[in-house]
Amino acid sequence: MRILVSGASIGGSVLAYWLRRHGHDVTVVERAPAPRRGGQPVDIRGAALTVAARMGVLEQARALRTHMRGMSMVDGDGNEIMRSTEETISGGRLDSPDVEIVRYDLVTLLIGAGDTGHRATFRYGDSIATLTQDGEGVDVTFESGGRDRYDHVIGADSLHSNVRGLAFGEEARYIEHLGTYVSIFSAENFLDLDRWQLWHRSGATGFGILNDRDPAVMLVNLGFEAGPIDYDHHDTGQQKRLVEQHCAGVYLGPRLLEAMWKADDFYFDSMAQVKMERWSTGRVALVGDAGYCASPLSGQGTSLAMVGAYVLAEELSGSPATAYDRYEERMRPFVELNQALAVENPGQGAAPESVQTAANSITLP
């Protein structure tokens, strides 16, 4: 089959790999001009470790994993109020079999997996403009002006999915806002952190700052609580102004905001979940955050995307006529359990034992 995947991030890359392994002709279209560098550490857990192993990238991921020594929490004056050398907020227990790895490193491994002669075609700097489907396939026009026809189109294009909007309707029908916004960016390591995490929360604002391989750089997560905000998802200047407006008074705020305005890898979004009755309509389907975002508060977004992509590729390569029903049947309990992690302990993150239980709650034959 000819299959178009929208989104070259984690879910899209895993899906493209397995669809090609099953013999399909796969094109991945990605709006960005190239893979987005940097990004926060993400976690490969439970069944997702099995997917990574079957793709032949697990040992490479382990070699690139973060090497945190621990974390501290500080008060509004910078005084340490808690310290741990056994676990971190971002990755859980340091002796866990889970793999915490920077997002860009993981995406690079996933895109590069497999025989170079059998990889999907990646089309950067373009996006889907329209979808028109019938019983035999989907006609697609691209923002670049091109047209083509595919047997299936899969949206693996994040929380603000373009494919979901085109095939299922407006975003507001499916997104449940969790009351928090977060920005992520790199900064000069003016705190001299050494493979360490520093966390602070004061009222409705807070941050998490970490350093890993490069001693000169630290990664900043700076966020705030607020109700739904109407903003342009492509206007980083507007997003930076929102962060400045809400976080100016936080401990270290002036220096963090100064670094934010200089950062060229700035990312901003809400903590939200996607809830849908169906992840498919006709020959169009969704995978990962596009269909069932659990939010970073769950600690399971990466694993959900990897497992969902693996299962969907497997089902499409069995009996395509019933593939989406079987995909739903296998994934729905796993998704619901993992989405529950984000709301079980508001403001503090999911308990480690709950994350492990959820991560291992699906079996891959």
Side-chain angles (χ1 to χ4, degrees):
M1 295 184 293
R2 298 191 74 225
I3 300 175
L4 177 66
V5 178
S6 175
S9 187
I10 293 167
S13 302
V14 173
L15 181 63
Y17 172 87
W18 287 107
L19 288 172
R20 286 294 297 134
R21 280 284 299 269
H22 289 298
H24 304 297
D25 179 359
V26 183
T27 297
V28 181
V29 61
E30 168 58 49
R31 183 186 299 274
R36 183 169 62 87
R37 299 192 64 84
Q40 74 279 18
V42 297
D43 299 290
I44 311 172
R45 293 184 166 122
L49 292 168
T50 301
V51 175
R54 292 178 183 179
M55 292 179 69
V57 300
L58 181 56
E59 292 310 310
Q60 292 170 282
R62 284 176 171 151
L64 292 171
R65 70 190 306 166
T66 62
H67 292 87
M68 294 294 151
R69 298 185 300 113
M71 68 171 185
S72 300
M73 297 193 74
V74 297
D75 63 19
D77 296 316
N79 300 310
E80 187 174 87
I81 56 176
M82 191 277 278
R83 164 180 289 252
S84 175
T85 55
E86 297 181 352
E87 63 182 355
T88 65
I89 289 178
S90 71
R93 291 195 58 84
L94 299 181
D95 59 359
S96 167
D98 303 339
V99 177
E100 183 183 58
I101 180 173
V102 172
R103 179 187 174 280
Y104 175 76
D105 289 341
L106 177 58
V107 171
T108 301
L109 290 179
L110 297 175
I111 291 176
D115 185 342
T116 56
H118 296 86
R119 291 180 188 162
T121 298
F122 282 77
R123 180 173 175 172
Y124 289 98
D126 203 356
S127 183
I128 299 171
T130 67
L131 297 171
T132 306
Q133 60 174 314
D134 53 41
E136 302 299 322
V138 188
D139 292 311
V140 176
T141 62
F142 295 92
E143 291 185 355
S144 62
R147 297 174 178 269
D148 215 329
R149 183 171 173 85
Y150 300 89
D151 295 293
H152 295 271
V153 174
I154 313 297
D157 44 358
S158 78
L159 175 65
H160 305 293
S161 168
N162 179 42
V163 170
R164 189 183 62 231
L166 291 171
F168 295 85
E170 60 179 325
E171 172 174 297
R173 296 167 55 188
Y174 307 110
I175 289 191
E176 292 188 5
H177 182 59
L178 299 182
T180 302
Y181 290 84
V182 65
S183 63
I184 302 170
F185 54 91
S186 297
E188 179 185 352
N189 187 10
F190 61 80
L191 295 174
D192 293 324
L193 298 179
D194 178 15
R195 292 164 293 149
W196 195 263
Q197 298 186 7
L198 187 70
W199 294 86
H200 168 70
R201 181 182 175 92
S202 177
T205 60
F207 61 68
I209 305 174
L210 60 91
N211 163 267
D212 186 33
R213 289 195 293 258
D214 187 345
V217 177
M218 60 188 192
L219 183 69
V220 180
N221 292 256
L222 180 59
F224 58 90
E225 294 179 353
I229 299 173
D230 184 18
Y231 67 95
D232 186 341
H233 299 295
H234 302 293
D235 186 342
T236 57
Q238 181 192 27
Q239 295 163 21
K240 287 182 178 182
R241 288 191 294 274
L242 283 171
V243 176
E244 184 173 61
Q245 173 187 341
H246 286 86
C247 298
V250 74
Y251 170 63
L252 296 177
R255 296 201 68 177
L256 295 178
L257 292 171
E258 180 184 3
M260 177 193 72
W261 282 105
K262 294 178 181 178
D264 59 6
D265 60 350
F266 176 85
Y267 169 85
F268 176 82
D269 212 335
S270 63
M271 295 288 189
Q273 295 189 338
V274 174
K275 300 286 186 70
M276 304 181 69
E277 292 183 2
R278 289 280 298 176
W279 303 324
S280 65
T281 177
R283 288 173 170 263
V284 178
L286 304 171
V287 70
D289 281 359
Y292 36 85
C293 178
S295 91
L297 295 174
S298 72
Q300 276 290 94
T302 294
S303 295
L304 275 173
M306 293 180 67
V307 173
Y310 178 89
V311 170
L312 179 55
E314 189 176 47
E315 296 299 350
L316 274 172
S317 303
S319 176
T322 58
Y324 293 147
D325 289 336
R326 295 196 308 273
Y327 166 58
E328 294 257 0
E329 182 180 353
R330 291 177 63 183
M331 283 296 297
R332 183 71 66 172
F334 184 54
V335 167
E336 290 177 349
L337 188 57
N338 281 283
Q339 286 187 329
L341 291 173
V343 294
E344 71 171 16
N345 196 15
Q348 300 181 49
E353 60 272 17
S354 299
V355 175
Q356 290 300 326
T357 298
N360 290 285
S361 62
I362 187 171
T363 300
L364 302 179

